[in-house]
């Protein structure tokens, strides 16, 4: 039996609502079920965090400094790299602190703040990936109108809209979840405050909250994903009509990088939030969450740099300087 140094937990039985005691903190279990791997996991995630911050930071830097990368595609890529740094910084530092200190408590306010930040940044990522797909659609399917349609002002507006649009919705959703009464166990079997494990600890009927989560996910995750698929179906159709094999290869190379990130992020997010509640498993949820919070930010620089000669050239210039 695993003996963990957790504070005294609440009783597992859910008391009547008039006898509820106000819960002021949760316990993030993260990877407490493998105590012999704590230091290994700490070292692994620390290295991953450093790689994510440095590699995405370099891409953000070269897209701002290199004159040859001052195009809409690299403008959005710079935004995306900066977003990945913010996204991973909401979860990994807390996880590293828990693994280092073995104190896994998190206050109610900190938990709500973490959830809200993850939801807002996740929404931004959905919209930004859709905007990047639209940019590729315009560049390949409407090359003559591309400079006019995707001018600097339009790019700023699309990026700003991606960053701002999800804020009111996700703040409202977070407030709705954390105004629920919590009773019974205060153990969150996850490495950050995500919606499914937190809702499990709520008392009473949470059907309304679960339906709201499904509606928001459909609007914010599924709709952009479908728009991306529609854009790429038209892009692929246009590419196949190109007469030059070199042009086709270049177009496919540019799009395949973005598509890889889309599949990694949207695939894991959709399965996490839209699969039936009965099929939810703490271990599966952790693995899926690692994909869209850690794996995607980790592979993003590799996917875009290794397959992109312009990025590699700009990186060499930066290193030579």
């Amino acid at each position: 039996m695993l003996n963990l140094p957790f504070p005294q937990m609440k009783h597992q039985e859910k008391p009547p609502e008039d006898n509820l005691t106000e819960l002021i903190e949760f316990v993030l279990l993260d990877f407490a079920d493998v105590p012999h791997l704590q230091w290994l996991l700490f070292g692994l995630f620390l290295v991953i965090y450093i790689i994510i911050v440095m590699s995405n930071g370099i891409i953000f830097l070269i897209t701002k400094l290199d004159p040859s990368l001052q195009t809409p595609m690299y403008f959005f890529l710079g935004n995306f790299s900066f977003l990945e740094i913010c996204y991973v910084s909401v979860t990994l530092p807390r996880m590293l602190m828990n693994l280092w200190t073995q104190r896994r408590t998190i206050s109610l306010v900190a938990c709500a703040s973490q959830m809200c930040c993850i939801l807002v940044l996740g929404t931004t990522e959905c919209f930004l990936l859709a905007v990047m797909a639209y940019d590729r659609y315009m560049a390949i399917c409407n090359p003559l109108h591309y400079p006019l349609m995707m001018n600097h002002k339009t790019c700023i507006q699309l990026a700003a809209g991606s960053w701002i649009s999800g804020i009111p919705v996700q703040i409202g959703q977070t407030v709705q979840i954390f105004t629920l009464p919590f009773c019974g166990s205060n153990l969150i079997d996850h490495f950050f405050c995500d919606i499914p494990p937190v809702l499990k600890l709520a008392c009473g009927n949470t059907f309304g909250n679960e339906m709201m989560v499904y509606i928001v996910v459909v609007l914010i995750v599924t709709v952009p994903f479908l728009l991306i698929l529609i854009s790429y179906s038209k892009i692929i159709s246009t590419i196949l009509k190109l007469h030059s094999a070199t042009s086709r290869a270049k177009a496919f190379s540019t799009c395949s990088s973005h598509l890889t990130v889309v599949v990694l992020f949207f695939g894991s997010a959709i399965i996490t939030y839209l699969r039936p509640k009965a099929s939810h498993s703490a271990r599966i949820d952790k693995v899926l969450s690692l994909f869209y919070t850690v794996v995607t930010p980790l592979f993003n620089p590799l996917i875009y740099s290794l397959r992109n000669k312009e990025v590699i050239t700009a990186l060499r210039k930066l290193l030579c300087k």
Side-chain angles (χ1 to χ4, degrees), residues 21 61 80 197 249 256:
T21 55
L61 193 63
F80 189 69
S256 62

Side-chain angles (χ1 to χ4, degrees), residues 137-150:
Y137 164 75
M138 290 299 300
I140 294 172
C141 299
N142 296 287
L144 297 178
H145 296 93
Y146 180 67
L148 179 65
M149 295 294 293
M150 297 301 291

Side-chain angles (χ1 to χ4, degrees), residues 105-233:
T105 57
I106 182 171
S107 69
L108 196 71
V109 173
C111 189
S113 300
Q114 186 186 52
M115 178 185 289
C116 187
C117 288
I118 289 169
L119 294 177
V120 169
L121 293 171
T123 301
T124 302
E125 185 150 351
C126 291
F127 291 161
L128 199 53
L129 286 170
V131 167
M132 292 169 78
Y134 175 72
D135 172 66
R136 291 298 82 209
Y137 164 75
M138 290 299 300
I140 294 172
C141 299
N142 296 287
L144 297 178
H145 296 93
Y146 180 67
L148 179 65
M149 295 294 293
M150 297 301 291
N151 57 62
H152 187 62
K153 182 180 178 181
T154 302
C155 291
I156 291 175
Q157 289 173 341
L158 288 170
S162 299
W163 281 93
I164 296 170
S165 298
I167 292 176
V169 175
Q170 299 299 7
I171 288 177
Q173 185 165 234
T174 304
V175 169
Q176 186 185 43
I177 290 171
F178 279 88
T179 50
L180 290 169
F182 292 96
C183 58
S185 173
N186 61 348
L187 300 176
I188 298 177
D189 196 1
H190 213 297
F191 60 90
F192 67 91
C193 291
D194 201 6
I195 293 176
V198 171
L199 273 180
K200 284 181 182 179
L201 306 182
C203 297
N205 187 4
T206 59
F207 178 76
N209 299 87
E210 290 164 9
M211 286 304 300
M212 184 57 65
V213 171
Y214 274 96
I215 292 170
V216 170
V217 169
V218 168
L219 293 175
I220 289 177
V221 179
T222 310
V223 171
F225 183 62
L226 291 175
L227 291 175
I228 291 171
L229 292 181
I230 293 169
S231 297
Y232 272 103
S233 65

